[in-house]
Amino acid sequence: MRQLWIYGQSYAGSDRARPVIDPATEQAIGEVGWGTMEDAEQAVAAAKAAFPGWRKLPAPDRTAMLHEVARKLRANLEQIATELTLETGRAIAKNCGYVEWSAQAFDYYAQISRNTRGRVIPSPEAGQLSMVLKVPLGVVAAIVPWNYPLLLLAWKAAPALAAGNTLVIKPAGFTPWTTLGLSRIFDHLPPGVVNIVSGSGSRVGDYLVTHPDVRMIAFTGSTEVGQQIMRKAADDIKHVHLELGGKDPLIVLADADLEAAARAAVWGGFLNAGQVCTSVERVYVEQSIYEPFSERVVDITQKLLVGPGIDPENEVTPMIRPSERAAVDQQVQAAVAAGAELLSGGFIPDRPAKGYYYAPTVLVGVAEHMAVMQEETFGPVLPIAPVQDFDEALARANASRYGLGATLFTNDPKKVLQYMEEIEAGNVWINDPLIDNVAGPFGGMKRSGLGRELGEEGLEDFYETKHVHWEVEGRMKSWWYPWTE
Ligand code: NAD
């Protein structure tokens, strides 16, 4: 059984243990301890106790420990990737990549946190020193979703720790296995610097969000829970960092490389069974190439291999749970009932016999008001709509409550220039969707989030900013009281 990890010790958790289910086999891969609010309280107390020592640790020592986290992740890459595949269903090759990228996040933030702790600014008078000083916030709660249990944790934990904060990590209910196993990756850090508490979102998660000693909530998950967290964080004016849902458009213009655009759309739509916050969720194609493009997408889709992610051949892996699959199917069937046409998929496949698969689905004849064009579809569904021109595509892409990612396929630099300025998305891709860069800030606009992970911006958010003014020469000022002496 994997246990909670608080102040460098393993605990069973105060609630009864829970099984962790492999979505490819529907079998339990093991059991985990389950935390309650009492355990969350212990974890916050541990992180609070560890904070003074961790923040004062000389930067070379702190960053050496973070490089050691990266080294241990790489040393255990295959085992961690396999565990990720067993609990998320995702393709094993992808998970190997995600362990490496997570290690890179620790190396990157260890390195850049050495560069600056603020800046010196011109002071009002000579003989004074004015500074912008960056200090850690204190205890940070990192609340993580089930689709990228390790990578999205690394994007929070690495900058938070590098800035000198201490952490309480809450993994998602479906995927606590790998995260609880990370105690062996963090066990060289001083006790309490990292604490891991599994448990329910509405109990353990909510307890962390409302705890007065938690100064920041770094959250990735659904927009609905993000909104609740932001409201609750308002009571104590906590810092929040929200990476939320998306409805990412992909625009294909007539001058684009059609083959590249079709392959990229299929990959971006069906990677991890469409359970990626930046999945391609709407495709707008210029009318003149709409038919050949749709045909090519269907052609590629129908040859995709559907099966368990542990087999490196399989391209479309299972969804996380039947409940999530039912929600996706409901959107697809509602679209069909309202007049959309299924060119591929739209059903639960007979094979593999076990596992929560959904056939990769291509829809045409979709109307903009349909849920499948408006709401996040967290599954392998690609709706394709024709547009007259680039301006219509851009307007429809922007007519969304979300603003996470967006892709344009074109070879026209003028259109690219207009698109990069006007598209309402935090992650803007041209001819190459879903590419993250550890040095490039990642995050959303509108209901897709607040704050940025990765890049220098992703470190900045884990500091409090102070303005420091120092009258070095100690001169009294003429405007101090009393004025009359
Ligand atoms: P979710 O919002 O249901 O849960 C996310 C985390 O929050 C889990 O750990 C959960 O236990 C916890 N939680 C739930 N209720 C809570 C509460 N009241 N208070 C505190 N914590 C609570 O999301 P999910 O189903 O795990 O993940 C899928 C969602 O995440 C999708 O909407 C997806 O778009 C989004 N996501 C966004 C990004 C991004 O970077 N923008 C990345 C991945 C996933």
Side-chain angles (χ1 to χ4, degrees), residues 143-148 152 170-173 199-202 205-206 209 219-223 225 228-229 243-246 277 324 376 378 404 442 448:
I143 303 180
V144 185
W146 48 260
N147 63 339
Y148 285 88
L152 295 175
K170 200 208 82 65
S200 114
S202 53
D206 186 71
V209 167
F219 171 80
T220 302
S222 59
T223 296
V225 175
Q228 285 175 34
I229 287 177
E243 299 288 352
L244 310 176
C277 53
E324 320 299 299
E376 184 175 47
F378 222 50
L404 189 54
F442 175 96
S448 289

Side-chain angles (χ1 to χ4, degrees), residues 220-372:
T220 302
S222 59
T223 296
E224 293 69 29
V225 175
Q227 287 167 325
Q228 285 175 34
I229 287 177
M230 196 166 171
R231 280 189 202 106
K232 292 195 173 177
D235 285 347
D236 283 327
I237 316 285
K238 287 191 208 310
H239 292 239
V240 288
H241 205 252
L242 305 172
E243 299 288 352
L244 310 176
K247 190 73 195 167
D248 289 9
L250 180 142
I251 300 170
V252 188
L253 299 186
D255 73 306
D257 178 336
L258 189 144
E259 178 63 18
R263 287 188 192 201
V266 173
W267 176 75
F270 303 147
L271 172 70
N272 193 26
Q275 302 167 118
V276 184
C277 53
T278 48
S279 285
V280 173
E281 296 233 345
R282 303 175 279 157
V283 185
Y284 298 110
V285 188
E286 259 188 314
Q287 184 75 58
S288 60
I289 55 157
Y290 173 64
E291 278 194 16
F293 175 85
S294 307
E295 277 167 21
R296 186 67 189 120
V297 164
V298 171
D299 186 41
I300 301 169
T301 300
Q302 288 182 341
K303 293 189 183 112
L304 294 176
L305 293 179
V306 178
I310 205 80
D311 177 347
E313 297 272 290
N314 289 326
E315 290 153 312
V316 181
T317 50
M319 294 190 60
I320 192 79
R321 289 291 182 274
S323 51
E324 320 299 299
R325 178 175 63 180
V328 167
D329 187 51
Q330 200 176 10
Q331 274 193 13
V332 171
Q333 302 315 331
V336 172
E341 187 189 348
L342 270 173
L343 294 187
S344 194
F347 57 86
I348 295 171
D350 297 338
R351 297 171 69 87
K354 286 277 181 196
Y356 311 130
Y357 297 92
Y358 195 72
T361 297
V362 182
L363 279 168
V364 292
V366 285
E368 208 59 35
H369 64 80
M370 293 176 177
V372 80

Side-chain angles (χ1 to χ4, degrees), residues 68-80:
E68 177 63 7
V69 170
R71 190 199 63 75
K72 285 168 140 182
L73 283 170
R74 291 190 177 102
N76 291 278
L77 186 143
E78 276 179 30
Q79 190 194 342
I80 297 173

